[in-house]
């Protein structure tokens, strides 16, 4: 039974993406040449309180890794452009930056270690089947169900678990082409932000390995005694909520009307609002609905 559930989960994560994309594929032959604005080297002033090193909990937004060590890239905004606005490039995580789906990989990992009950796995599998059929689903509910594996455990224990899980099972799946694109944009003084519906203690570890300033992901509630609860804190960072969370983060970090969405990268049709809002939209190994939208809108299609 548990093997069948895992099969359903993996099928739901890949059914829309029929063209298999090789990690490490070169960008140069695939995407269109974006226009490169002249970058000013004047370092802007920092507004008082705008860059505090803390977690922004509203709308599941996080700007600083808590349990992971300091990221490779400095946690301060880079230079503004001649238009006097910070230029932001945002990357989706699952299926875009990594080859695979981190919640599916996590559930399989928890199943192997018997950290979830069979009844819980069955309910997760049924949710995945409905997701595959594109039926309306409660994103918060299923994430709470998965997080039952960590209910009552301290944030330190859970964060340590995710650090190990990320290093062993997620980072090896990070697409070389995604990292190269982040490096290129960072060299052009773009602000790099990772966004994901996946769990915050997992996604924040990405800052430890790649030139990413901030991340937006789904927070889980923490009890007064410092232990995790199997419940989403707010709204899962999914679909339109990604754009909501991104705007809130950037308004707080850079200042309202002081930034612009220069580029967005996504693989799933739920990423359409995010891509639609960007000056340069990139559909990365897109599922069928997103591919149709990309062709209709004239967006670049990348095969990473």
């Amino acid at each position: 039974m548990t093997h069948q559930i895992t099969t359903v989960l993996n099928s739901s994560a890949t059914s829309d993406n029929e063209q298999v994309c090789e990690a490490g594929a070169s960008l140069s032959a695939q995407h269109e040449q974006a226009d490169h604005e002249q970058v000013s080297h004047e370092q802007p002033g920092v507004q008082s309180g705008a860059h505090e090193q803390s977690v922004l909990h509203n709308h599941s937004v996080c700007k600083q890794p808590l349990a992971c060590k300091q990221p490779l890239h400095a946690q301060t905004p880079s230079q503004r452009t001649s238009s006097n606005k910070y230029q932001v490039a945002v990357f989706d995580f699952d299926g875009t930056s990594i080859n695979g789906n981190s919640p599916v990989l996590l559930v399989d990992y928890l199943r192997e270690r018997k950290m979830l009950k069979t009844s819980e796995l069955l309910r997760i599998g049924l949710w995945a089947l409905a997701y595959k059929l594109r039926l309306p689903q409660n994103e918060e509910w299923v994430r709470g169900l998965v997080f039952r594996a960590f209910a009552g455990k301290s944030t330190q224990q859970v964060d340590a678990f995710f650090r190990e899980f990320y290093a062993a099972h997620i980072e090896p799946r990070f697409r070389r082409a995604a990292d190269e694109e982040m490096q290129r944009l960072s060299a052009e003084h773009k602000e790099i932000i990772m966004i994901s519906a996946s769990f915050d203690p997992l996604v924040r570890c990405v800052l430890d390995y790649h030139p990413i300033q901030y991340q937006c992901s789904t927070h889980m509630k923490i009890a007064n005694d410092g232990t995790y609860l199997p419940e989403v804190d707010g709204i899962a960072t999914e679909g339109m909520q990604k754009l909501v969370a991104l705007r809130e983060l950037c308004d707080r970090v850079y200042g309202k009307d002081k930034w612009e969405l220069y580029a967005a990268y996504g693989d799933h049709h739920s990423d359409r609002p995010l891509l639609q809002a960007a000056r340069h939209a990139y559909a990365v190994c897109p599922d069928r609905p997103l591919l149709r939208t990309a062709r209709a809108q004239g967006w670049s299609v990348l095969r990473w």
Side-chain angles (χ1 to χ4, degrees):
M1 173 64 75
T2 54
H3 175 72
Q4 292 174 337
I5 291 169
T6 303
T7 301
V8 170
L9 287 168
N10 284 296
S11 175
S12 69
T14 59
S15 60
D16 285 331
N17 190 354
E18 295 193 343
Q19 290 122 351
V20 177
C21 302
E22 295 291 336
S26 173
L27 284 173
S28 59
Q30 298 299 336
H31 72 70
E32 302 169 359
Q33 181 68 31
D35 53 326
H36 302 289
E37 285 77 11
Q38 186 69 28
V39 177
S40 169
H41 293 285
E42 179 183 358
Q43 181 69 31
V46 177
Q47 295 179 342
S48 176
H51 307 292
E52 69 278 10
Q53 301 299 301
S54 62
V55 177
L56 303 179
H57 286 290
N58 292 340
H59 298 299
S60 302
V61 177
C62 177
K63 60 172 284 189
Q64 170 80 348
L66 300 181
C68 302
K69 64 184 181 182
Q70 288 293 328
L72 297 176
H73 200 86
Q75 285 287 319
T76 55
S78 59
Q79 290 86 353
R80 299 188 196 183
T81 63
S82 56
S83 65
N84 207 36
K85 287 188 176 184
Y86 296 102
Q87 292 191 317
V88 172
V90 61
F91 289 75
D92 170 57
F93 187 58
D94 295 302
T96 302
S97 300
I98 69 168
N99 183 25
N101 184 290
S102 61
V104 172
L105 295 167
L106 176 62
V107 169
D108 194 40
Y109 188 79
L110 296 174
R111 177 189 61 79
E112 290 175 354
R113 282 150 187 78
K114 302 186 185 306
M115 293 176 68
L116 286 171
K117 297 177 181 177
T118 301
S119 60
E120 293 167 342
L121 288 166
L122 179 60
R123 294 167 71 188
I124 293 169
L126 291 173
W127 182 94
L129 179 61
Y131 181 84
K132 177 182 177 181
L133 298 174
R134 299 197 181 99
L135 299 176
Q137 292 296 305
N138 187 321
E139 298 288 343
E140 289 77 27
W141 173 82
V142 73
R143 281 164 177 76
L145 192 59
V146 173
F147 228 73
R148 286 188 180 183
F150 308 106
K153 291 182 171 60
S154 71
T155 54
Q156 291 84 357
Q157 287 177 301
V158 176
D159 291 348
F161 173 93
F162 276 108
R163 285 199 304 274
E164 294 178 5
F165 174 73
Y166 181 92
H169 299 277
I170 303 299
E171 180 57 26
R173 291 174 170 269
F174 204 95
R175 286 174 168 155
R176 183 176 172 185
D179 185 70
E180 289 175 352
E181 184 73 339
M182 291 175 187
Q183 297 284 355
R184 180 184 71 81
L185 290 165
S186 182
E188 295 175 2
H189 304 286
K190 304 297 188 288
E191 298 289 297
I192 313 299
I193 296 176
M194 181 67 71
I195 197 160
S196 176
S198 195
F199 300 108
D200 170 77
L202 171 64
V203 180
R204 46 174 134 95
C205 291
V206 75
L207 280 72
D208 206 35
Y209 296 85
H210 303 279
I212 301 167
Q213 280 86 357
Y214 303 100
Q215 62 95 6
C216 300
S217 54
T218 300
H219 283 272
M220 304 305 293
K221 287 185 177 180
I222 299 175
N224 292 334
D225 63 358
T227 60
Y228 272 111
L229 297 173
E231 198 174 337
V232 172
D233 186 3
I235 305 173
T237 313
E238 178 75 19
M240 179 60 75
Q241 189 62 26
K242 287 185 177 181
L243 188 56
V244 172
L246 177 70
R247 284 172 174 165
E248 178 169 307
L249 171 64
C250 291
D251 283 350
R252 293 192 182 194
V253 172
Y254 309 117
K256 193 172 179 61
D257 300 323
K258 298 296 184 182
W259 64 279
E260 60 183 357
L261 185 51
Y262 174 80
Y265 300 75
D267 72 303
H268 194 261
H269 60 272
S270 62
D271 294 322
R272 283 183 289 206
L274 194 65
L275 271 62
Q276 187 72 52
R279 185 195 301 182
H280 301 289
Y282 299 95
V284 180
C285 303
D287 62 12
R288 286 186 185 181
L290 182 59
L291 181 59
R292 287 195 296 267
T293 301
R295 287 171 174 169
Q297 297 289 333
W299 297 343
S300 297
V301 176
L302 308 181
R303 302 294 179 186
W304 287 353

